[in-house]
Amino acid sequence: MNSITITIESKPTTINFDGREFQVQKLSIPLPFGRKPTDISDIAACGVEAVYVTEIREMDPEEFDGFKLNLGKSRDWLKGKGGDYWDGRLCVMVRAPGRPYLFIDPSGGDSVRYLARLG
């Protein structure tokens, strides 16, 4: 199988959210988000939203593979992050070598509330 490379640009921007200022990267394309998925194959979205990346979480492939199978599990590193913002969602981007990129909006909680993926 041949592979292709897709580049998605992002624009650095400063936003004000919940009384705080954030430096984010806004993706150049909106993505479809699923609500409360059980795993990364469980994304049933209706429409697309802008993605504002507030931080990036690096994982090794094994950690990612365990994470993607139990998205409802409580995780300290998600606690208090995310939320609706103007035309999209504030997200933690999760990436691991050879795995899809995940964009997670926990909406202030500590587990995946909304999820979009690339790859």
Side-chain angles (χ1 to χ4, degrees), residues 87-102:
D87 62 342
R89 302 199 163 278
L90 301 176
C91 296
V92 175
M93 183 172 106
V94 174
R95 62 184 181 193
R99 303 301 190 264
Y101 290 135
L102 302 181

Side-chain angles (χ1 to χ4, degrees), residues 26-99:
K26 182 180 180 185
L27 296 188
S28 62
I29 61 167
L31 296 175
F33 280 83
R35 185 174 184 276
K36 294 187 178 181
T38 56
D39 60 49
I40 66 170
S41 65
D42 186 27
I43 301 173
C46 56
V48 295
E49 297 183 70
V51 178
Y52 296 88
V53 177
T54 59
E55 68 181 79
I56 298 172
R57 172 82 177 193
E58 302 284 352
M59 293 184 176
D60 62 40
E62 294 78 23
E63 181 184 12
F64 183 95
D65 291 345
F67 173 71
K68 75 176 185 178
L69 296 174
N70 191 2
L71 298 175
K73 182 179 175 184
S74 175
R75 298 187 185 344
D76 288 340
W77 55 270
L78 286 174
K79 190 172 187 172
K81 298 177 182 170
D84 290 330
Y85 179 75
W86 194 54
D87 62 342
R89 302 199 163 278
L90 301 176
C91 296
V92 175
M93 183 172 106
V94 174
R95 62 184 181 193
R99 303 301 190 264

Side-chain angles (χ1 to χ4, degrees), residues 13-24 54 80 82 90:
T13 189
T14 302
I15 64 168
N16 290 301
F17 179 76
D18 206 20
R20 297 178 291 169
E21 189 172 89
F22 289 92
Q23 297 294 320
V24 300
T54 59
L90 301 176

